[in-house]
Amino acid sequence: MSDSVKEVLPTQNSISVGVRELEELRRKSIENPDLFWEPVANELFWFEKQGPLFEKTDAPPFGQWFGNWKTNLCFNSVDRWEKSARKNRVAFFWEGEPGDRRAITYHELYREVNRMASVLLNLGVREGDRVTIYMPLIPETIVAMLATVRIGAIHSVVFGGFTSQALADRVNDSNSKVLVTADGGWRRGKVVELKKIVDDALKQCPTVKKVVVVKRTGQEVDMDPYRDFWYAELMKGAETYVKPVAVPGSHPSYILYTSGTTGKPKGAVHSTGGYMLWVYYTQKAVFDMRDEDIYWCTADVGWVTGHSYVVYGPLLNGGTSFLYEGAPDFPEPDRWWRMIEEYGITILYTAPTAIRSFMKFGDKWPHMHDLSSIRLLGTVGEPINPEAWNWYYRTIGRNCCQIVDTWWQTETGGIMISPQTGTTQIPLKPGSASVPLPGVDAHVVDESGAELPENTKGFLVINHPWPGQFLTLWEDKERFDSVYFKRFPGKYYAADYAMKDHDGYFWLLGRADEVLKIAGHRIGTIELEDILISHPAVAESAVIGKFDEVKGESPVAFVVLRPGHGPTPATRRELMDHVRNNMGPIAVPGALYFVEKLPKTRSGKIMRRLIKAVVEEKALGDVSTLEDSSSVDEAEKAYRELQAEIHRGG
Ligand code: WTA
């Protein structure tokens, strides 16, 4: 370890001061949420402040924030700057994959968003209606999101890498009326034909009456004259001002689908008031965004990180951000580093997977560029291994930038556990997300919900409601209650393993449920199994996550075939394609094994833990609950056979 890394590691004395200070702040915020959050809320705009800021409720999530206060998320993100000098500041520098560039000031964004809000109104979208957004990362995507919340409607952004089936499922679950898309997007020099995917999906989506299409890639697309309209055409006839709707703090701002432990994705519904306060505050507290910063969060808007820390957090703080449309290594692995140098990016917020893949490309690529503009680094989405942390610190941070390792979830709305460079500096420990933010009553408990002693692995729970908490699961209150609040009654169950050390630092140790984190993306094992089972050749399937050096985890599938289907390389390829076509490339298994039967518990539950042990060549542990332990040998045997087959090039 170099001396410079040691400098940021804690010493006995340095730990206590900052951590104690943050702990004190946090204690106050939980004891008296009104007192703590009111001054923060006052930095934002509210049409009306009636009723309590925070109110305990009897049912999950056990609290409501700004229930009857009236505000508008778009107004706070965009209009609020119209009367200040920030009006003329760049909100977004954007670079497309082919190298085209745009810069959009707050005022330009304001104009565009107003017109898009008018377009949505003209298409019949009203308060509470859902708008699905299926786009590449271009400024119009953000315009569409802001325009939707401006008129009190609810957006549902679907990641542009999802396939038509995944898109159709999400559109139908939310019953969206309007869909906003583009003709295509650029990825590794090729066009991803988004409009074509939309056309395919909408065959199954009766609720979508109108489609708005942004021209991005310019290839020919089919346009249904009654349903599909070019964005540029509609914008021409639009009003230049649309009054923002004053919605209650508890009004839903968006739905974001994420994976859980059943085949059906969960639509996490976020509030307006609490969510707005949370992303505004956390953006400031964690990143300490300043006027001179050019901030780059590399997430796609299709994920929660994109919602909170590409769109709303930076805009609510009046910051200047950078956006990039395409692949990180296109045309060469120095793409990111070149853009950081050229735009003078000061804050880089990305995922451990990206860091690990850049590590693999080698130091040569970042060394080709001057990265001295960077002053702060961040990570999110999965645990970061100390090796990647140290590489990030040395090679990208040049041994002088703090790293904020931020733990949070789609459900939490914003960052929950992280160093807070905007508040108090604390020593960093590579691999630990450090301490909870104000408002976050985080604990590590055992199976029975009892608090665990230091350095003991257990389940992470949040005992008190926090402002950014999601409201519910879209049209599935029952699932909301049972998934998150039943296991430890009255507490939010995060479904993550964690450990708290002597200094009060949290170490996040991965998912405790059947959700995988593949390159930072959440994929439910059961979701993948359902897709495999939907193929006519498959009788049963089990999916587990295997350690992957770059992606963190990679899905490995075990399949029992139906009679008449052979375990051939062709079947394997077909099943891989089936997953790719139904969910998208991120979910394609790294390996797929054919077995005669799957190991199950007596009650018929697939023993994924056991299959994982087989795959990772670890001890099998307790097999006493197996229905038929011979099936484990079988899985092992099949695995060995398959390894042999792979070696033979089969
Ligand atoms: C994991 C992403 C360790 C965790 C914002 C969580 C992390 C899941 C970290 C949520 C971190 C996120 N360290 N693990 N800093 N950040 N996770 O909903 O398992 O896509 O439950 O939200 O990512 O994933 P989601």
Side-chain angles (χ1 to χ4, degrees):
M1 190 181 293
S2 78
D3 284 345
S4 42
V5 175
K6 269 190 212 140
E7 275 165 30
V8 291
L9 298 180
T11 62
Q12 278 305 323
N13 293 336
S14 63
I15 270 282
S16 48
V17 185
V19 173
R20 233 187 285 126
E21 221 169 88
L22 285 178
E23 186 52 30
E24 185 57 17
L25 205 63
R26 194 171 74 93
R27 193 184 52 74
K28 283 188 190 153
S29 70
I30 293 163
E31 275 171 14
N32 197 337
D34 288 67
L35 201 69
F36 186 87
W37 294 113
E38 188 155 14
V40 183
N42 286 340
E43 292 168 20
L44 294 159
F45 176 82
W46 305 83
F47 295 97
E48 236 179 83
K49 293 179 186 172
Q50 258 188 25
L53 184 154
F54 171 71
E55 204 175 8
K56 279 210 155 112
T57 56
D58 295 335
F62 300 110
Q64 193 184 45
W65 300 84
F66 307 100
N68 286 313
W69 292 34
K70 298 268 169 61
T71 190
N72 184 285
L73 187 51
C74 174
F75 184 95
N76 274 284
S77 304
V78 181
D79 302 39
R80 197 152 55 95
W81 309 120
E82 271 299 289
K83 291 204 166 63
S84 78
R86 276 180 215 272
K87 173 182 174 177
N88 302 317
R89 270 184 67 145
V90 171
F92 294 110
F93 287 106
W94 171 86
E95 188 164 310
E97 195 186 73
D100 42 342
R101 295 174 173 206
R102 288 161 71 182
I104 298 134
T105 66
Y106 273 89
H107 181 63
E108 285 170 323
L109 187 63
Y110 168 83
R111 283 179 56 82
E112 192 90 352
V113 165
N114 268 285
R115 290 193 298 153
M116 183 58 179
S118 156
V119 165
L120 293 177
L121 285 174
N122 292 342
L123 294 176
V125 180
R126 296 291 175 267
E127 194 176 331
D129 286 347
R130 276 77 60 206
V131 174
T132 292
I133 298 173
Y134 182 67
M135 299 274 273
L137 186 45
I138 55 176
E140 286 79 1
T141 312
I142 296 173
V143 169
M145 292 166 76
L146 290 163
T148 304
V149 296
R150 184 174 192 85
I151 60 172
I154 301 168
H155 58 69
S156 163
V157 181
V158 178
F159 173 54
F162 277 138
T163 55
S164 60
Q165 190 56 50
L167 173 62
D169 292 345
R170 287 157 178 78
V171 168
N172 285 336
D173 191 77
S174 63
N175 284 324
S176 289
K177 219 178 194 174
V178 165
L179 188 144
V180 185
T181 190
D183 50 357
W186 290 103
R187 192 80 192 171
R188 289 216 163 73
K190 293 202 186 86
V191 171
V192 181
E193 298 200 61
L194 296 172
K195 177 62 167 58
K196 223 184 220 167
I197 298 168
V198 167
D199 291 341
D200 203 26
L202 292 191
K203 287 179 195 145
Q204 305 174 47
C205 305
T207 57
V208 175
K209 302 292 182 228
K210 306 284 177 209
V211 176
V212 182
V213 188
V214 177
K215 189 170 266 184
R216 163 71 188 125
T217 40
Q219 82 282 12
E220 207 154 297
V221 293
D222 288 337
M223 294 290 278
D224 174 333
Y226 299 102
R227 191 196 67 187
D228 304 344
F229 305 90
W230 288 108
Y231 174 85
E233 296 295 317
L234 294 175
M235 292 290 268
K236 268 189 214 153
E239 299 286 334
T240 53
Y241 180 73
V242 168
K243 201 167 170 238
V245 176
V247 297
S250 56
H251 182 75
S253 56
Y254 67 82
I255 306 172
L256 185 58
Y257 287 90
T258 187
S259 294
T261 52
T262 74
K264 192 172 166 276
K266 307 182 280 194
V269 181
H270 277 288
S271 72
T272 299
Y275 175 77
M276 174 170 84
L277 177 99
W278 195 240
V279 291
Y280 167 69
Y281 177 81
T282 51
Q283 179 85 49
K284 231 169 37 152
V286 173
F287 299 104
D288 183 25
M289 241 163 98
R290 307 178 199 149
D291 281 357
E292 63 272 27
D293 278 321
I294 298 189
Y295 158 93
W296 183 18
C297 167
T298 66
D300 187 89
V301 273
W303 311 110
V304 75
T305 309
H307 284 62
S308 299
Y309 300 109
V310 171
V311 181
Y312 294 113
L315 292 176
L316 288 165
N317 281 281
T320 296
S321 301
F322 173 70
L323 304 169
Y324 169 57
E325 175 191 34
D329 54 348
F330 188 84
E332 298 275 11
D334 72 330
R335 179 67 185 257
W336 277 24
W337 319 124
R338 175 183 66 64
M339 296 190 299
I340 287 173
E341 177 177 359
E342 285 180 11
Y343 291 87
I345 284 156
T346 58
I347 306 174
L348 176 67
Y349 186 33
T350 192
T353 290
I355 298 166
R356 289 190 294 259
S357 50
F358 282 120
M359 253 173 97
K360 262 202 143 159
F361 289 136
D363 290 7
K364 150 180 166 205
W365 301 101
H367 285 162
M368 282 162 67
H369 298 278
D370 175 6
L371 303 181
S372 60
S373 59
I374 299 178
R375 70 165 182 87
L376 180 66
L377 298 168
T379 74
V380 59
E382 32 173 342
I384 181 161
N385 47 314
E387 196 193 352
W389 195 102
N390 284 319
W391 183 84
Y392 199 32
Y393 184 78
R394 290 201 193 102
T395 313
I396 308 306
R398 308 157 334 274
N399 298 320
C400 65
C401 301
Q402 291 252 321
I403 296 179
V404 290
D405 175 354
T406 65
W407 177 87
W408 59 295
Q409 307 178 299
T410 302
E411 293 88 343
T412 70
I415 298 167
M416 302 286 276
I417 302 179
S418 170
Q420 298 145 56
T421 64
T423 316
T424 305
Q425 303 277 346
I426 57 168
L428 305 175
K429 302 189 190 191
S432 165
S434 81
V435 299
L437 269 85
V440 179
D441 195 11
H443 298 265
V444 179
V445 299
D446 68 11
E447 290 280 355
S448 71
E451 191 100 18
L452 281 167
E454 281 166 16
N455 299 324
T456 315
K457 179 175 170 179
F459 303 99
L460 181 66
V461 292
I462 318 286
N463 286 5
H464 190 279
W466 66 98
Q469 69 192 8
F470 64 144
L471 295 171
T472 186
L473 292 178
W474 183 252
E475 294 193 329
D476 208 347
K477 178 79 169 80
E478 215 172 287
R479 191 174 175 195
F480 173 70
D481 291 1
S482 75
V483 171
Y484 300 104
F485 298 96
K486 217 172 186 168
R487 177 143 190 196
F488 301 106
K491 300 172 181 177
Y492 171 76
Y493 171 50
D496 265 17
Y497 290 120
M499 193 173 81
K500 201 171 147 179
D501 71 14
H502 176 69
D503 300 313
Y505 280 50
F506 282 73
W507 297 77
L508 283 309
L509 305 171
R511 296 288 301 193
D513 59 1
E514 276 146 7
V515 167
L516 307 182
K517 271 274 160 172
I518 304 162
H521 304 316
R522 260 165 88 161
I523 307 282
T525 48
I526 301 178
E527 217 174 323
L528 268 180
E529 288 164 8
D530 282 1
I531 288 173
L532 285 165
I533 291 167
S534 72
H535 189 280
V538 179
E540 274 192 290
S541 84
V543 173
I544 54 113
K546 187 184 177 195
F547 170 75
D548 181 284
E549 225 179 59
V550 174
K551 291 191 285 183
E553 269 185 310
S554 148
V556 174
F558 279 69
V559 163
V560 179
L561 290 172
R562 284 185 192 283
H565 295 272
T568 60
T571 312
R572 181 175 300 119
R573 257 197 316 276
E574 204 178 299
L575 293 178
M576 299 285 205
D577 284 346
H578 184 65
V579 174
R580 184 176 295 110
N581 297 336
N582 277 277
M583 190 139 179
I586 52 170
V588 175
L592 189 147
Y593 301 136
F594 297 113
V595 288
E596 293 290 320
K597 73 179 134 153
L598 296 168
K600 286 184 189 164
T601 62
R602 290 200 174 92
S603 59
K605 206 168 168 278
I606 296 170
M607 296 275 291
R608 292 189 188 74
R609 190 170 47 84
L610 196 136
I611 301 176
K612 195 173 160 78
V614 176
V615 171
E616 293 188 337
E617 295 171 341
K618 288 189 180 143
L620 291 189
D622 181 16
V623 293
S624 59
T625 50
L626 271 190
E627 195 181 49
D628 170 8
S629 59
S630 70
S631 56
V632 180
D633 303 337
E634 196 181 70
E636 265 185 325
K637 190 164 149 260
Y639 179 56
R640 277 198 304 273
E641 281 172 5
L642 223 96
Q643 271 186 324
E645 197 185 315
I646 293 163
H647 286 145
R648 282 198 307 272

